[in-house]
Amino acid sequence: MDERELFETVASLVRPGGRELVCGRSGHPVGHVCLAVSDAIGLSPLLKGFSRRYGQLRNLATGGYVDPTVTERTGLPLLAPLAGEVTEMRGWASGSRWIGCGAVRAGDGERPVVLVAERAAPEAPLVTGGDAWDDAQPQGEIQGEAGTVLPEDGRTWAQRVIELTGWEPLGISADWAAIEGELGVPLPADYKELCEAFGGGTFSDSVGFLACDEGDSFDLLTRWRVSLSVDRDSGLGSVSAVDPHAVYAPGGTGLVVWGSTEWADEYCWLIDAERPGEYPVLARSHDGGPWHRYDMSTSEFLHRVLADAGFRPFGIARYDLGATFRPAPAARRAGEKC
């Protein structure tokens, strides 16, 4: 099928109430569907198209290397049906479905593959009762909650995240001059403190944190480059994946994603190149609702997500997931450079 037919078929499969996923390929079990892809379609436009429609991707396999830490919760249903064949695989979470796009071995070469698989979607935070945020509030009226001032003990919010997780800082060294030079703006100091302590990885088995590990699935610049390329591609439609905003481009104003959850919440900075040093956090829940603005630091927002049960709608502490951190497979150890 051609590109348009492919996207329409995938959309029908991930739509709530979509048909049962039974693959037609010999020997493949139920629970997924492998879709025929025209040889005339390149992998790059497919990745851009799916990123446009379904947001932040997960890097499950690159150059024949399959991430050994992938679980049922993080994309394994996209790899299992093609065991031993996969050379490239990117995944997107969409409700009760996984969407996978990549390449498999075929004779002396490779061929593109797209599949949709069942997903046991984690329960997303719900906004209910009298302690809920009003989702109808305009973004500009939503400010950081009370308590943004540091406690009397003088700990920074980054230090509080480290202590909350019981993490031993890695002491990662990053070439911030090169990273910030490409972005055209300095990054928040507390974010850099988090990167140097943790690297990229996952908090509480649910909250993904992007750091500075070039080529890794948790690399901030890699994700930003892909997002910007997709956002600028007029052939993929005029609506941005971060509508009503745009993905940040050097010298302009827009969003840069630095975190996300298993249930597809997104955490971003709103960056204005003409106002360096100001980095309000914009967050959007999994249901595609409005953006919420928080005038607080990256590390304070992250700490509240992990530890403050009343931080609605993004706090996860009330789900008893524990405050832990699991580094990405390629996370650098102390003294190594990203």
Side-chain angles (χ1 to χ4, degrees), residues 1 27 91 99 132 140 144 148 151 153 195 209 231 237 243 247 264 310 328-329 336:
M1 61 184 74
I99 302 160
T148 59
D153 61 18
C195 288
F209 177 74
D231 215 50
D243 185 67
V247 174
E336 294 189 11

Side-chain angles (χ1 to χ4, degrees), residues 227-302:
S227 297
L228 182 59
S229 175
V230 170
D231 215 50
R232 285 175 160 175
D233 191 335
S234 59
L236 298 174
S238 59
V239 178
S240 172
V242 293
D243 185 67
H245 303 281
V247 174
Y248 169 78
T253 300
L255 302 188
V256 173
V257 176
W258 58 266
S260 63
T261 68
E262 288 294 330
W263 42 85
D265 291 352
E266 291 181 284
Y267 310 147
C268 310
W269 297 301
L270 175 59
I271 296 180
D272 183 345
E274 295 186 359
R275 303 171 70 93
E278 295 184 17
Y279 305 96
V281 173
L282 264 61
R284 178 171 62 178
S285 63
H286 67 288
D287 57 6
W291 290 98
H292 297 268
R293 172 174 173 145
Y294 297 87
D295 288 307
M296 58 178 65
S297 70
T298 308
S299 52
E300 180 182 357
F301 180 87
L302 179 59

Side-chain angles (χ1 to χ4, degrees), residues 115-133:
L115 65 159
V116 177
E118 293 177 353
R119 174 176 179 257
E123 180 184 7
L126 299 177
V127 182
T128 58
D131 58 353
W133 281 87

Side-chain angles (χ1 to χ4, degrees), residues 3 7 75 92 96 117 136 139 153 158 177 194 216 218 229 250 260 263 273 310:
E3 190 171 344
F7 288 141
W92 296 262
S96 62
Q139 170 200 307
D153 61 18
L194 290 173
D216 183 77
F218 288 88
S229 175
S260 63
W263 42 85

Side-chain angles (χ1 to χ4, degrees), residues 4 25 54 116 120 126 158 182 199 218 221 247 257 278 308 314 317:
R4 181 179 296 277
R25 291 186 61 179
Y54 299 105
V116 177
L126 299 177
E182 181 172 348
F218 288 88
L221 278 184
V247 174
V257 176
E278 295 184 17
D308 186 350
F314 300 108

